[in-house]
Structures are given as C-alpha cells and as structure tokens.
Amino acid sequence: MAQQRLETAILRSGLSSAELADKAGVDVKTVNRWLAGRTPHRRTRVRVAELLGETEETLWPAARPDTQAGAPATAEVLGAYAHRSEIPNDLWISLVHKAAHRIDIMGYAYPFVLELLPKASEVIAAKCLAGCDVRLGFADPGCDHVAERDTLEQMNGTLPGRIRNALSMLGPLPDTPGCRVGLHSTHLYNSVFRFDDEMIVTPYLFRARGYQHTALYLRRLSPYGIFESFADQFEQIWQTTVPYTEGGSRGLTA
C-alpha cells in the first residue's frame, strides 16, 4: 500500500525517480528501494513528502502510528490548568499575535479576549484583511439557554449583559471581510479558543463560572487527536449559529 501511494504521488508530481532522488539528496537506487517497500528515515520522509506535496502519514502511514485512529493523543496537550484564570496573559497574547490562518472561538461571553490588547479588535481585523479566517461564536443573550446557564452558574441575571458587553467590544470586526460573528442558542459543555493549530479548551465544571473552569492548552498533531475532536465540536455548533448582523441584531448593546 505504501509503495502504491508513493508511486502515485511521484507520477502526480511529474518528477522522475532520478529527479526526486536529486531533489531529496539521495541516490536513485534509494528511491527504487522505497518503491519496493523500504521506508525512508524520518528526515528523508518529511523532505520527500514536502517535495511531492503530500503528508508523511499519507505516504507512509505505518511510520506514523500517532496519527492513526485510536492512538494515544496526550502529546497534543501542551499544558493543563486548574482554572482558566491561571493561564498567563502572555500565552493568550502570543496566540493572538501568531495566528495567521484561522481564529475560531466559541463560548457564551468572553470579553477578556477582547481586553488582552489595547486594540484587540483592530489587531484581529488586520489579520482578517491579511487573509486570516475568523469566526466568533457568542450565545444569543435573549435565548432560554442563556437564562438557564445564568441560573446554573448563580450569576443573578448578569450573563445576558456580559454577552451584550462583549458584542459591544467587537469594534470593526462584524463588518470586516474574513470575519464572521454568530449567535448560538446551544447548551455548551466547554469553550473553544482556536488559533491556527493551537487551541485552549475550557471544560465546564458544575456551577463554576468561566474563569473557574479547568483549561487545556492543545496543539494539533493528528486528524484523530483531542484537538480535532474539539475542532469538530466547534464546526457542529457553528452550523447552528445565526449571523450577528441578521435581523437587526447589531442593535444588541450593553
């Protein structure tokens, strides 16, 4: 199977075995050994995959058991915190600054994200204009689920106002190309903060408020890991959102 995948990738690339060998810095006989079933060393696998426009795990799946379904995914956990409030601000700020391709956030209200930098919304808007895809999901402050969550977390009716306050801090984002803001009415069991292939997830604790929840700092290593599970959850909830600009919802203010 691996030989067939490699052979197909070489044919698709338009390279001959000799040309691939030259670019990979090996002898053509070595390439022929790969085509006969031998697995290259790791550094060479990465280089060849890059040359062929494929991934290492696609060409040599047996060499990357960590990317297979059912493989342990603890290597994706970069950090674990007893409470979200214990995550250093420097980490949050670095995640925002480093993100170049995707920012996905889903929660009830998360004004702290928009307070990390003096002009956080402008910074994120500039990323959108540079090609970063941004999706921000907030709870609909008027839905029944928000009232139920407010009661569960004993917030004394303040959660709808916190959401409206966060929405009022978006600045230019709702009108910035590349940024989508949605309102959901889903009971959440965690919040997701994704920045490219890094993510912070806060699994909810019974009756605890946002800053009290536990937090995991993740990086994506596999299509079957912990990261991908939470990324898929984001996608499913995002499909239920209503655009923030729809139906005059921009009138929601603190």
Side-chain angles (χ1 to χ4, degrees):
M1 178 66 73
Q3 304 98 288
Q4 293 173 356
R5 292 187 181 189
L6 178 59
E7 183 176 9
T8 299
I10 294 174
L11 290 171
R12 187 184 299 116
S13 73
L15 296 173
S16 66
S17 295
E19 290 170 329
L20 176 61
D22 181 63
K23 290 178 178 295
V26 299
D27 189 273
V28 67
K29 293 180 180 179
T30 300
V31 174
N32 291 333
R33 293 190 189 99
W34 299 341
L35 291 170
R38 179 173 294 184
T39 301
H41 295 299
R42 175 73 201 287
R43 181 179 296 179
T44 306
R45 293 199 305 268
V46 173
R47 174 62 176 155
V48 171
E50 181 181 285
L51 289 169
L52 297 178
E54 299 284 356
T55 63
E56 178 192 0
E57 57 267 26
T58 297
L59 296 177
W60 295 282
R64 290 298 305 274
D66 58 305
T67 64
Q68 305 304 307
T74 51
E76 292 197 325
V77 181
L78 296 179
Y81 300 86
H83 308 288
R84 190 196 72 196
S85 59
E86 294 172 352
I87 299 175
N89 272 359
D90 286 350
L91 175 55
W92 286 109
I93 292 172
S94 70
L95 291 173
V96 172
H97 278 310
K98 288 190 302 182
H101 306 290
R102 176 172 300 280
I103 295 176
D104 285 337
I105 302 179
M106 184 67 68
Y108 280 91
Y110 38 88
F112 74 93
V113 173
L114 299 168
E115 295 172 336
L116 290 170
L117 300 165
K119 296 183 178 180
S121 59
E122 285 84 353
V123 170
I124 297 173
K127 288 182 175 291
C128 292
L129 296 176
C132 186
D133 184 21
V134 176
R135 294 181 292 179
L136 306 175
F138 296 85
D140 182 341
C143 76
D144 292 339
H145 290 325
V146 165
E148 293 169 5
R149 177 66 62 169
D150 182 277
T151 299
L152 178 64
E153 296 186 10
Q154 304 176 73
M155 298 184 69
N156 300 316
T158 61
L159 181 55
R162 285 177 56 80
I163 298 170
R164 293 187 175 95
N165 180 55
L167 291 170
S168 74
M169 297 168 64
L170 291 175
L173 287 172
D175 298 317
T176 300
C179 180
R180 288 170 284 171
V181 183
L183 300 178
H184 68 81
S185 56
T186 302
H187 268 306
L188 299 184
Y189 298 97
N190 49 70
S191 289
V192 173
F193 305 86
R194 176 179 182 174
F195 305 89
D196 289 343
D197 284 343
E198 294 180 81
M199 176 187 293
I200 290 177
V201 177
T202 59
Y204 290 169
L205 301 175
F206 181 64
R207 286 186 175 172
R209 298 188 181 183
Y211 66 91
Q212 298 172 315
H213 296 313
T214 57
L216 297 174
Y217 174 27
L218 308 173
R219 63 176 172 181
R220 186 183 189 277
L221 295 178
S222 163
Y224 304 103
I226 302 171
F227 184 104
E228 203 63 31
S229 293
F230 285 111
D232 179 66
Q233 178 192 257
F234 176 94
E235 294 296 341
Q236 292 191 50
I237 297 174
W238 181 259
Q239 295 305 315
T240 72
T241 62
V242 175
Y244 176 48
T245 55
E246 189 173 286
S249 56
R250 286 291 301 280
L252 292 170
T253 56

